[in-house]
Amino acid sequence: MIYELLKRHEANFFIMYASSKDPNFYYAVGMKLPDPAFYAVGEDGTEMLVVHEMERRRAERESRVKEIVSLSDVGFYEKVKELGVEKALAETYAEILKEHRARKILVPKEFPSFLYKHLSEHFEIEIVSNPFSKLRSVKKSWEIKEIKKASEIALNALKFFLEIVKRKREIEELRKRVELFVYEKGGLAEDTIISSGRRSADPHFVGEGIVEKHVIFDIFPKVRASGYHSDFTRTVIIERDEEIVEMLRACIEAKNEAIKIIREGIEAKEVHDKVCDVLEDYGYKTIRQKAKEGFIHSTGHGVGLEVHEEPKIFNSEDKLRSGMVFTVEPGLYYERIGGVRVEDLVLVKKNGCEVLTRFDDYVEVVP
Amino acid sequence: MIYELLKRHEANFFIMYASSKDPNFYYAVGMKLPDPAFYAVGEDGTEMLVVHEMERRRAERESRVKEIVSLSDVGFYEKVKELGVEKALAETYAEILKEHRARKILVPKEFPSFLYKHLSEHFEIEIVSNPFSKLRSVKKSWEIKEIKKASEIALNALKFFLEIVKRKREIEELRKRVELFVYEKGGLAEDTIISSGRRSADPHFVGEGIVEKHVIFDIFPKVRASGYHSDFTRTVIIERDEEIVEMLRACIEAKNEAIKIIREGIEAKEVHDKVCDVLEDYGYKTIRQKAKEGFIHSTGHGVGLEVHEEPKIFNSEDKLRSGMVFTVEPGLYYERIGGVRVEDLVLVKKNGCEVLTRFDDYVEVVP
């Protein structure tokens, strides 16, 4: 795919400069690097990783990139005194690329400006969407296995929550216990949303205070060993409120109708439109109508090494592909009432999709 | 400090585009934002945060920035269809900045290239070191409190490790138990280095297999509630080996001699040179001599919201300031033998420094 991209843009190299905290970089090099390093893949078949000398041996052993170059082998440390770190890095990388006869280079949107500027003096540079974001959007079977593990943890975390919320109502305490439970299962959940009352009208409000009549439980744990996430939400009814139950019903129907049409080949937009159709039929306003209350976010997003990644399930005409994993998460939000949301994680298949977070849609706790 | 920076560069605005995963952005806006947003501070006293409509209310409540602008209030969503997301973002931000009569703008080194390029069509842009990196390097008293909590957790984790390593030798199992211990104490430790044998010659090798004659225990937990880290290392002797014990002795002396001279006003370089002096006196080679074995990394780095942040304790003539928190971590690494390292976290004061990780330097476990 990257070779095609290079050909299409008539470019010689695609490069990245990042640490392994950047999931695209981590995916490309296949090892943890706490400090930024340089990755280059060329139309001539070159694929190299340039690291500090102290990371060389480890990179040779751990990285999936075969050609490891140490900065000390390419004269970087001699350049630093004269040029300073940044210019020395840029000049070093430029020399390497020139040795490979690079003239035109592709960089990802998030490529740091300081290098973009320096390298622009040597090469024609074009900014592109990171091809690794797209590569990562279609999961390999071992990645799906990890996402399934994370989903299992998420489901069990909700079961655990449903038990303890019968006796406890302090949200901070509930979150603490749920996240410890997840950790003990080999997962890691941070900023788990347990939001209740009117402030749950803000989709990313993590929640605080006391559980009131309903609670949004939105958990997106990763498997610690692999770094792959799940993402799963249920709205739990504690005390029936007609308005909230009706909102929840609409979201459940929207989610399930959308899931029914998901299969390889349809456009992301069709899924989003289906969710909007159902919610609008119920009489709620949606983002498609530029509403500021009601359904005010996109239908979903890819999940993998990141909780938010490709594909975006929104307005786009991009076609769904087999192996994509993303959320379907209709929600309704009103400042006067609060918010509700239901969210499943699905895996796209040739003739349909698999729900990775099978759980009752309507959840009620009778304390 | 940012006003001075703007003045010095004769610029009207400093801007960032990032999510709260970027600690500089998080520090500036004081709230968690999972998706990228736009921050701008101007010489005219403007300070604003531009977010998606769905984050507006939460930003108004949670951010330390007073002026919150929603993308829907500034015509972004109308632009998207025609221009695509990226150009629409750039044009929207450009309009906002022009309303404030901006002509010259500062962006940080890590500013994404796509916005740099678009905004360059409207403004003169200069790339600078992120001023928030420097601001963050001097800790406020509440930040120091959090780092002390993290350090307490790190020290207790080592004590716990020293107990369990008497009976267990499987590194993966030891790491799992140590990290669970940390989690139960309110911390989060990932990629804790427990490395033994010859492969410990790679400073960032996390370790696997069985504990042999010595083990590097390097833990850098954060307090989950605040996100502030500690960073702390001891080399634990399991079975005395003359070469290793001698290397360790040299590192301990290098660390302690360096700590003795740390106080406000001296240069980072002086600390690094002291470490190199001691190690070279012992007959070991150092990075100052461009050695590829021996002491092959810098003396230390700042610790706070990130494990690696400003200041760098290396070749720099930057002066240490009261309130800086950084590591002092001499190590010696030989492929034939393995590595040793001792690391303390210190807080710079007017006339000295406070060690935040007080623990015996020489640690031996008799199983």
Side-chain angles (χ1 to χ4, degrees):
Chain A
M1 200 199 116
I2 292 176
Y3 294 111
E4 286 161 36
L5 182 79
L6 291 171
K7 211 171 233 175
R8 205 161 59 245
H9 291 264
E10 296 183 345
N12 311 105
F13 270 90
F14 170 75
I15 62 175
M16 290 192 276
Y17 176 79
S19 79
S20 60
K21 274 170 245 163
D22 176 334
N24 285 326
F25 193 84
Y26 176 64
Y27 190 85
V29 306
M31 73 177 290
K32 292 214 178 163
L33 281 165
D35 299 309
F38 181 78
Y39 169 85
V41 52
E43 36 126 42
D44 62 356
T46 309
E47 188 186 25
M48 74 169 90
L49 172 62
V50 185
V51 297
H52 275 282
E53 174 60 24
M54 74 171 269
E55 302 286 26
R56 182 180 48 80
R57 264 198 310 262
R58 199 169 64 88
E60 284 166 358
R61 250 188 351 245
E62 297 178 10
S63 176
R64 55 156 291 285
V65 177
K66 296 235 169 57
E67 188 182 349
I68 305 297
V69 177
S70 158
L71 279 174
S72 73
D73 295 339
V74 285
F76 165 73
Y77 298 103
E78 287 73 37
K79 289 193 184 73
V80 168
K81 276 218 165 147
E82 193 197 334
L83 302 175
V85 171
E86 286 139 41
K87 211 166 160 60
L89 281 176
E91 292 301 318
T92 305
Y93 301 149
E95 276 176 20
I96 294 174
L97 292 167
K98 278 181 186 168
E99 267 175 36
H100 285 81
R101 300 170 192 281
R103 285 181 325 276
K104 181 174 171 183
I105 286 170
L106 304 182
V107 301
K109 289 182 293 189
E110 63 277 11
F111 195 72
S113 293
F114 83 93
L115 268 184
Y116 174 81
K117 195 186 167 197
H118 283 305
L119 293 177
S120 296
E121 291 164 17
H122 298 281
F123 308 101
E124 181 189 347
I125 302 190
E126 196 177 328
I127 300 168
V128 295
S129 289
N130 197 321
F132 284 98
S133 295
K134 204 159 197 175
L135 277 173
R136 290 199 295 119
S137 73
V138 174
K139 267 66 182 178
K140 301 188 170 104
S141 63
W142 69 268
E143 294 180 287
I144 292 168
K145 224 178 259 177
E146 293 301 319
I147 294 170
K148 284 183 174 174
K149 278 188 215 166
S151 299
E152 192 61 30
I153 291 174
L155 295 174
N156 284 324
L158 174 56
K159 284 179 204 157
F160 177 74
F161 173 76
L162 293 176
E163 278 310 308
I164 60 176
V165 77
K166 288 179 188 162
R167 299 179 307 274
K168 284 210 176 298
R169 290 296 173 89
E170 298 77 19
I171 286 174
E172 275 83 357
E173 178 63 21
L174 288 164
R175 181 181 299 115
K176 215 165 137 181
R177 294 185 58 182
V178 165
E179 293 185 348
L180 178 58
F181 174 89
V182 166
Y183 200 90
E184 285 167 344
K185 302 291 179 210
L188 177 64
E190 295 187 279
D191 300 322
T192 302
I193 294 175
I194 302 181
S195 76
S196 188
R198 301 211 297 200
R199 278 185 299 173
S200 63
D202 293 326
H204 283 154
F205 175 57
V206 298
E208 60 182 34
I210 295 291
V211 169
E212 301 176 30
K213 290 197 231 169
H214 83 294
V215 55
I216 298 180
F217 179 89
D218 182 351
I219 194 159
F220 32 93
K222 72 172 178 186
V223 174
R224 294 208 304 282
S226 66
Y228 282 85
H229 292 81
S230 181
D231 193 357
F232 169 60
T233 305
R234 285 296 182 265
T235 295
V236 182
I237 303 294
I238 308 283
E239 188 186 315
R240 280 186 212 176
D241 172 294
E242 250 180 64
E243 270 184 316
I244 286 180
V245 171
E246 178 70 4
M247 282 157 63
L248 180 52
R249 235 173 239 139
C251 288
I252 290 170
E253 190 176 326
K255 171 178 78 65
N256 292 337
E257 290 301 310
I259 285 173
K260 274 186 203 155
I261 66 164
I262 293 171
R263 57 180 167 74
E264 185 174 65
I266 71 164
E267 292 173 6
K269 191 179 182 331
E270 295 178 61
V271 183
H272 181 61
D273 277 336
K274 176 60 81 181
V275 164
C276 292
D277 288 347
V278 174
L279 294 175
E280 287 169 20
D281 280 352
Y282 266 83
Y284 298 108
K285 293 265 181 289
T286 72
I287 193 167
R288 199 166 62 171
Q289 305 162 313
K290 302 193 196 313
K292 286 194 171 190
E293 293 211 304
F295 179 48
I296 52 171
H297 53 62
S298 64
T299 286
H301 51 79
V303 172
L305 287 172
E306 285 179 295
V307 184
H308 288 183
E309 60 180 44
E310 296 295 319
K312 304 259 179 290
I313 307 302
F314 197 39
N315 246 331
S316 135
E317 285 159 24
D318 289 352
K319 291 211 164 67
L320 301 185
R321 294 174 58 191
S322 224
M324 282 181 165
V325 172
F326 58 79
T327 66
V328 180
E329 47 176 312
L332 289 167
Y333 309 91
Y334 294 92
E335 209 177 347
R336 184 180 55 82
I337 308 168
V340 307
R341 181 166 65 253
V342 284
E343 174 185 37
D344 275 336
L345 191 63
V346 304
L347 164 64
V348 180
K349 304 209 157 175
K350 201 157 187 303
N351 297 308
C353 74
E354 180 183 345
V355 176
L356 304 181
T357 48
R358 290 206 166 277
F359 203 92
D360 290 345
D361 287 321
Y362 182 83
V363 185
E364 194 174 289
V365 162
V366 186
Chain B
M1 199 199 117
I2 292 176
Y3 293 109
E4 286 162 37
L5 181 78
L6 290 171
K7 212 172 234 176
R8 204 159 62 244
H9 290 266
E10 295 183 346
N12 311 105
F13 270 90
F14 170 77
I15 62 175
M16 290 193 275
Y17 176 79
S19 78
S20 59
K21 276 169 243 162
D22 176 335
N24 285 326
F25 193 82
Y26 177 65
Y27 189 84
V29 306
M31 74 177 289
K32 291 213 178 164
L33 281 166
D35 299 309
F38 181 78
Y39 169 86
V41 53
E43 37 127 39
D44 62 356
T46 308
E47 187 185 25
M48 74 170 90
L49 172 61
V50 185
V51 296
H52 275 282
E53 173 61 23
M54 75 172 268
E55 301 287 25
R56 182 180 47 81
R57 264 197 312 261
R58 197 168 64 89
E60 284 166 358
R61 252 193 342 250
E62 297 179 11
S63 177
R64 55 157 291 287
V65 177
K66 297 235 168 56
E67 188 181 351
I68 306 297
V69 177
S70 159
L71 279 174
S72 73
D73 295 339
V74 285
F76 165 74
Y77 297 103
E78 286 74 37
K79 290 193 185 73
V80 169
K81 275 215 166 152
E82 193 197 334
L83 303 175
V85 171
E86 285 138 42
K87 210 167 160 60
L89 281 175
E91 291 302 317
T92 306
Y93 301 149
E95 276 177 20
I96 293 174
L97 292 167
K98 277 181 186 168
E99 267 175 35
H100 285 83
R101 300 169 191 280
R103 286 180 323 277
K104 182 174 173 185
I105 286 169
L106 304 182
V107 301
K109 290 183 293 188
E110 63 277 11
F111 195 73
S113 294
F114 83 93
L115 268 184
Y116 174 81
K117 195 186 166 197
H118 282 306
L119 293 177
S120 295
E121 291 163 17
H122 297 281
F123 308 101
E124 182 190 347
I125 302 190
E126 197 177 328
I127 300 168
V128 296
S129 289
N130 197 321
F132 284 98
S133 296
K134 202 160 199 175
L135 277 173
R136 290 198 296 120
S137 74
V138 175
K139 266 67 181 177
K140 302 188 169 101
S141 62
W142 70 269
E143 293 179 288
I144 292 168
K145 224 178 257 178
E146 294 300 320
I147 294 170
K148 284 184 174 174
K149 278 187 214 165
S151 299
E152 192 62 30
I153 291 173
L155 296 174
N156 284 324
L158 174 56
K159 284 180 203 156
F160 177 74
F161 173 76
L162 294 176
E163 278 310 306
I164 61 176
V165 78
K166 287 179 189 164
R167 299 179 309 275
K168 286 211 173 294
R169 290 297 172 88
E170 299 77 17
I171 286 173
E172 276 83 355
E173 177 63 22
L174 288 164
R175 180 179 301 114
K176 216 165 135 179
R177 294 185 59 180
V178 165
E179 292 184 350
L180 178 59
F181 174 89
V182 166
Y183 200 89
E184 285 167 343
K185 303 291 179 210
L188 177 65
E190 294 186 279
D191 300 321
T192 302
I193 294 175
I194 302 183
S195 77
S196 187
R198 301 212 294 202
R199 279 185 297 173
S200 63
D202 294 325
H204 282 155
F205 175 56
V206 297
E208 60 182 35
I210 296 290
V211 169
E212 300 177 30
K213 289 197 232 171
H214 82 295
V215 56
I216 298 181
F217 180 89
D218 182 351
I219 194 159
F220 31 94
K222 72 173 178 187
V223 175
R224 294 209 303 283
S226 66
Y228 281 85
H229 292 81
S230 182
D231 193 356
F232 169 60
T233 305
R234 285 296 182 266
T235 295
V236 181
I237 302 295
I238 307 283
E239 188 185 316
R240 280 186 213 179
D241 172 294
E242 248 180 65
E243 269 183 316
I244 286 181
V245 170
E246 178 70 5
M247 281 156 64
L248 180 52
R249 234 172 239 139
C251 288
I252 290 169
E253 189 174 326
K255 171 178 77 66
N256 291 337
E257 289 302 310
I259 285 173
K260 272 187 203 157
I261 66 164
I262 293 171
R263 57 177 168 76
E264 185 174 64
I266 70 164
E267 293 174 6
K269 192 181 184 329
E270 294 178 62
V271 183
H272 181 62
D273 278 336
K274 175 60 80 180
V275 164
C276 292
D277 287 346
V278 173
L279 294 176
E280 287 169 19
D281 281 352
Y282 266 83
Y284 298 108
K285 292 266 180 290
T286 72
I287 193 167
R288 199 167 60 172
Q289 305 161 315
K290 300 193 199 308
K292 287 193 173 193
E293 292 212 304
F295 179 49
I296 54 171
H297 54 62
S298 65
T299 286
H301 51 79
V303 173
L305 287 171
E306 286 179 295
V307 183
H308 287 183
E309 59 179 45
E310 297 295 319
K312 306 259 177 291
I313 307 301
F314 197 40
N315 246 331
S316 134
E317 284 161 24
D318 288 351
K319 291 210 163 69
L320 302 185
R321 293 174 57 192
S322 224
M324 282 182 167
V325 172
F326 58 79
T327 66
V328 181
E329 48 176 313
L332 289 166
Y333 309 90
Y334 294 93
E335 209 176 348
R336 184 180 57 79
I337 308 169
V340 307
R341 179 168 65 255
V342 284
E343 173 186 36
D344 275 336
L345 190 64
V346 304
L347 163 64
V348 180
K349 304 211 155 174
K350 201 157 188 302
N351 297 309
C353 74
E354 180 182 344
V355 176
L356 304 181
T357 49
R358 291 208 164 275
F359 203 93
D360 290 346
D361 287 321
Y362 182 84
V363 184
E364 195 174 288
V365 163
V366 186

